[in-house]
Each structure stands twice: as C-alpha cells, then as structure tokens.
Amino acid sequence: MAKPQEKVSFGQRLKQIGMVFRFTAKQDRWFAPLTAAAVLIPLALTVVAVLLWGWIWLPIGILLTLLAVLIVLNLRSNKAMMNAAEGQPGAAAQIMESMRGDWRVTPAVSSTTQMDMVHLVIGRPGVILLAEGNPQRVRGLLGQEKRRLAKVIGSAPLHDYVIGQGEGELPIRKLRMTLMRLPRTLAPKDVNALDKRLKALTARPQMPKGAIPKNMRPPRAFRQSRGR
C-alpha cells in the first residue's frame, strides 16, 4: 500500500516555499521579473477597483495577487527542477517518487558501474521501466528486465522508456506528462497484487546483522584454508 503522507505544519510549509523560491530564482533568470509582474499588476488593478468601487475589493485583490504568485512559482519551479535534473543519474526515479498518485517506485533494479540504471515503477497504467545512462548499454539492461518481468506480470501492460534527448528517447522534462497520459488499465487491488509479486522477484538477500550463529558458520577446516 502507498505510504501515508506525513502532516506538515504551517511553519514547515512556509519554509519549504521559501526554499523553492530561492532554488527557482537561482536556476531561472525569468523568475524574478515574472514574480514582480504577478505582484504589481494585480495590486495596481486592486487600487483602481478600490478607488472606483470601494474597499471591498481590497481582500479580493490580495487573494488574486497571492494566486498569481503561486501560479508563477509552480510553473517556473517545475521548469527549473527539470533543467537541474537533466543528465543527473537517478533523476527519473526521484521525479517519480515526488509525483502525486499511487506510484510504487523501485530505483535501480538493474545497474552498471558506469551509472547506467533501470528503475521499476508500478501504477495504474501497469509496469513501467525507466532506463537512464548510455543508450547502447541501457537498452541491453532494459531488454533483460523486460524478459525477467514478462514471466510474472501476466497480462499487465509493460511500458519502457529510455530517458534522454536522442531519437526515440524521452526527455526527462516530459516524463511526468507522458506517464500521466497513460491509460489506467489496472484496478487498485491489481496494483497491490502486482507490487507484491514484483517485490518478491526483485528482493535481494541481505546478510544478517551481528555475529553469525554457530550452526551457520562454515566448517573449521574451511576457515583454516581461507586464512592461509
């Protein structure tokens, strides 16, 4: 099941908005002029409305000003984030993890030492594989993952994309819109069942923490031969 969202206090929300403001202003040279216009134009119209029709227009004008600023912030911050993520390893998985909706993301289910990787995403559109890295190398990884998953996903749709700017590749700035436009073919219960099957497939065995129990230790002769 999707993780429940943690409640954010008003102070924390303001702090987050401030961080987004600073980040966007640093990345986007048009952000400051557009934000200034979003403030000055509604305020100027509000002053005119107050002079003509009274003070009742003052709170309306303030709300419209805040709305205009938030619209500019949302549009320009998304663009700045996409520009900053371009070419960064693991950026596709981070974008998917920040998307609204029931998206089950497993970063780097397959990878190489050259930072080529394939991410696994499960959602209402089915199973999605996102490949990042060198196009020649990641296509091989992508083929291996498709063959491996085809054995367990049944009739669930399987989509795959190579993130990049080349021919036949998906630019990272179009990733959200592309996946949001995919048809929702699975019911929520089907997503849960598929998630369980694929987690069992992609689970990696981990060594137990602490001392190894005596009944799991190798024979003494083997340990002595390893120590030579």
Side-chain angles (χ1 to χ4, degrees):
M1 296 293 290
K3 294 181 180 179
Q5 295 183 351
E6 297 181 358
K7 292 184 178 180
V8 180
S9 66
F10 181 73
Q12 291 175 326
R13 182 68 66 186
L14 289 179
K15 186 177 180 180
Q16 291 175 354
I17 294 176
M19 292 174 61
V20 174
F21 260 95
R22 290 191 294 271
F23 171 79
T24 308
K26 185 178 179 180
Q27 298 288 333
D28 185 2
R29 63 188 180 92
W30 288 104
F31 176 65
L34 290 173
T35 303
V39 172
L40 295 177
I41 294 175
L43 285 182
L45 295 175
T46 301
V47 171
V48 174
V50 168
L51 293 176
L52 293 178
W53 298 294
W55 291 98
I56 191 175
W57 286 94
L58 180 60
I60 298 176
I62 293 175
L63 291 177
L64 289 176
T65 302
L66 292 175
L67 179 61
V69 171
L70 290 177
I71 291 174
V72 171
L73 176 62
N74 181 57
L75 294 176
R76 304 308 294 188
S77 63
N78 285 336
K79 183 176 181 180
M81 289 174 62
M82 293 300 103
N83 291 336
E86 196 78 48
Q88 297 295 323
Q94 294 179 0
I95 290 173
M96 290 303 305
E97 289 175 337
S98 66
M99 282 181 58
R100 293 181 179 180
D102 188 9
W103 301 97
R104 322 290 177 90
V105 184
T106 305
V109 292
S110 181
S111 60
T112 68
T113 55
Q114 291 85 11
M115 300 302 290
D116 307 309
M117 58 190 72
V118 176
H119 313 297
L120 173 64
V121 181
I122 306 169
R124 296 287 304 278
V127 180
I128 304 167
L129 293 174
L130 303 175
E132 293 184 280
N134 181 276
Q136 286 72 32
R137 292 195 297 261
V138 296
R139 291 189 190 280
L141 290 178
L142 202 55
Q144 293 175 9
E145 285 301 312
K146 289 171 66 175
R147 290 190 294 270
R148 189 167 71 104
L149 295 178
K151 302 175 182 178
V152 294
I153 65 174
S155 60
L158 176 59
H159 310 273
D160 61 277
Y161 302 93
V162 176
I163 306 299
Q165 296 291 336
E167 184 178 355
E169 298 173 358
L170 177 65
I172 197 167
R173 65 188 62 194
K174 295 183 179 181
L175 175 60
R176 288 185 179 182
M177 187 61 65
T178 299
L179 298 192
M180 291 299 294
R181 289 177 176 175
L182 291 175
R184 270 44 177 174
T185 56
L186 298 182
K189 62 178 183 179
D190 297 327
V191 175
N192 291 332
L194 188 59
D195 187 26
K196 290 179 181 179
R197 292 204 304 270
L198 293 186
K199 279 183 177 178
L201 178 67
T202 58
R204 297 183 177 93
Q206 296 181 352
M207 291 296 293
K209 297 182 180 180
I212 301 177
K214 291 183 179 180
N215 59 352
M216 295 180 62
R217 294 178 183 176
R220 181 185 299 273
F222 178 79
R223 297 199 303 270
Q224 290 176 349
S225 65
R226 294 285 292 178
R228 291 177 184 174

